[in-house]
Amino acid sequence: MAKKVLKRVGIVAGAILGVVLLAVVGLVAWLTVREYRPAAVEDVEVLNQGVQTPPLAPGDGLTVMTQNTGYAGLGRDSDFFMDGGKDVKPTSEQMDTNREGLAAHLSEQGADIYFLQEVDTDSSRSYGIDQSQRYLERLGTFYRSSHALNYSCDFVPYPLPPIGKVHSGLQTLSRFSVDSAQRIALPCPFSWPVSTANLKRCLLVNYVPLEGSDKQLVLVNLHLEAYDDGEGKAAQTKMLMDFLTDQYEKGNYVIAGGDFNQTFPGALDAFPIKDASLWTPGVLEEDILPEGWQFACDLSTPSCRLLNQPYDPDSEDTQFYIIDGFILSPNVALNSVETLDCQFEYTDHNPVLIQVTLEA
């Protein structure tokens, strides 16, 4: 009798295992067919192009702000499973509070250019809200807006509960006219099948005409690799620098900014790594910049926090980083740079604001 029972249990267990394996194989096959495979270079639509805006010319000054919005899901009370925390998805109330808080803060700054990262357009984690449209609406019709996907997957199957559908990317908002915008693909360090549900990093490039000149201001919005072994960041950084220097050699002005997921020179002295077993950024070295180029970052205020726990500035386990900032070509003079200390109220990144002048 016992043998018969064990045999039946074995048959049932085998059947369940077979169903699970079949489901996994089916999911991987479906994700493979549906995998986001962008071209190396793609044109990006620029919204609000018909609205008249002030001209920009060599000799003019402007302000640029970069802000990783954390898809409005990583505010002061949040942690995140990839950083040693446990949360996967914020509540809809948290999402609404963070999104509207971010939109209000962007509007208050009144920058000429905004580089935004982790802006969802249709994701389960952000309840299907088009955040890019909301930010554009809040800033007003005098801004041009472009958005490039760097994460597009019909169903991200991890962790449990799973992340689900994600469509997210970079958004650039400009008070100045934009001749054109492009999505330029960066190297992807992940192979199949991990690549099917992972990010496909890119540069979002806006080309701004300059009055009285045949040159352009080239705006490069970026968000480099986070959870790789370091080779992905290095390859993406090299491609970034190759693109920037090529644009400068054409006579253009170049401003690149965003979340580098790498600490700027001197940042580790200001905010040392406390626990190397948790997420650790890469390091940007001074020697990656050709002569005359410069980093623009604020070493006095952290631009990012680790999401191993909700924000507590007094906790020994709170880890800060400086991984957000800019790279400027030699013909762009840096007047000031400031990380705005927002106490990580609505996202795990503080915004960085620069004032620059395009040298005549």
Side-chain angles (χ1 to χ4, degrees):
M1 183 68 178
K3 289 183 178 179
K4 290 183 178 180
V5 171
L6 289 174
K7 184 176 180 181
R8 288 176 181 173
V9 169
I11 292 172
V12 171
I16 293 173
L17 180 59
V19 170
V20 171
L21 288 175
L22 185 62
V24 170
V25 170
L27 176 61
V28 172
W30 179 65
L31 289 174
T32 300
V33 171
R34 296 285 297 168
E35 183 177 357
Y36 176 50
R37 297 181 178 89
V41 179
E42 295 180 348
D43 291 334
V44 175
E45 181 182 9
V46 181
L47 303 177
N48 283 11
Q49 276 293 70
V51 179
Q52 185 174 357
T53 55
L56 184 65
D60 288 347
L62 66 151
T63 56
V64 188
M65 193 173 94
T66 182
Q67 170 78 80
N68 185 325
T69 69
Y71 57 89
L74 302 173
R76 186 183 182 91
D77 298 329
S78 299
D79 59 26
F80 187 57
F81 76 99
M82 291 290 284
D83 281 6
K86 62 182 187 303
D87 286 353
V88 177
K89 181 179 180 179
T91 66
S92 60
E93 290 79 10
Q94 288 174 317
M95 181 68 62
D96 291 343
T97 298
N98 293 338
R99 185 186 65 251
E100 294 311 306
L102 284 163
H105 189 255
L106 293 173
S107 180
E108 289 166 5
Q109 296 311 307
D112 296 310
I113 308 290
Y114 292 91
F115 292 158
L116 307 182
Q117 301 88 43
E118 293 192 37
V119 179
D120 282 8
T121 54
D122 183 15
S123 301
S124 298
R125 64 186 183 183
S126 51
Y127 300 89
I129 300 296
D130 186 343
Q131 298 173 348
S132 68
Q133 185 62 34
R134 179 59 184 141
Y135 297 144
L136 176 58
E137 289 171 354
R138 190 58 185 264
L139 285 172
T141 58
F142 289 101
Y143 283 84
R144 275 84 167 131
S145 174
S146 56
H147 186 278
L149 290 172
N150 65 6
Y151 201 4
S152 182
C153 183
D154 290 337
F155 183 77
V156 180
Y158 57 83
L160 292 175
I163 294 173
K165 178 176 65 173
V166 177
H167 297 294
S168 183
L170 310 173
Q171 182 179 15
T172 297
L173 295 140
S174 168
R175 275 204 319 122
F176 307 109
S177 296
V178 176
D179 278 342
S180 62
Q182 292 180 320
R183 181 197 191 279
I184 298 179
L186 292 171
C188 180
F190 305 108
S191 56
W192 184 89
V194 176
S195 64
T196 62
N198 220 309
L199 287 95
K200 305 295 167 58
R201 305 280 182 173
C202 67
L203 307 176
L204 173 55
V205 184
N206 278 235
Y207 300 92
V208 176
L210 298 177
E211 190 176 44
S213 173
D214 61 350
K215 308 306 180 185
Q216 295 175 305
L217 170 61
V218 181
L219 301 170
V220 182
N221 186 352
L222 61 95
H223 187 188
L224 303 186
E225 208 62 63
Y227 301 104
D228 67 317
D229 61 6
E231 292 185 4
K233 292 182 186 68
Q236 292 171 3
T237 302
K238 182 182 184 307
M239 183 172 174
L240 167 68
M241 291 309 306
D242 288 345
F243 177 79
L244 300 185
T245 53
D246 178 66
Q247 289 298 318
Y248 176 64
E249 287 170 1
K250 293 177 180 178
N252 293 327
Y253 298 80
V254 182
I255 300 175
D259 179 354
F260 287 79
N261 275 313
Q262 299 168 87
T263 59
F264 285 78
L268 290 177
D269 295 329
F271 300 102
I273 300 299
K274 296 180 178 180
D275 185 351
S277 68
L278 297 174
W279 184 80
T280 302
V283 177
L284 288 169
E285 303 289 355
E286 285 277 10
D287 61 8
I288 71 166
L289 297 184
E291 184 178 356
W293 290 73
Q294 64 179 314
F295 292 117
C297 67
D298 179 358
L299 296 180
S300 66
T301 305
S303 73
C304 178
R305 73 173 182 93
L306 185 68
L307 288 161
N308 57 323
Q309 60 184 17
Y311 180 55
D312 181 357
D314 300 320
S315 171
E316 287 295 321
D317 294 325
T318 297
Q319 173 70 63
F320 294 121
Y321 312 100
I322 298 175
I323 59 176
D324 303 88
F326 298 86
I327 295 176
L328 307 177
S329 60
N331 51 0
V332 178
L334 177 64
N335 301 323
S336 67
V337 55
E338 180 185 8
T339 297
L340 307 180
D341 191 357
C342 298
Q343 293 292 304
F344 305 104
E345 184 70 26
Y346 304 117
T347 175
D348 57 322
H349 289 252
N350 281 325
V352 182
L353 180 69
I354 58 172
Q355 295 182 347
V356 299
T357 299
L358 306 182
E359 296 182 339

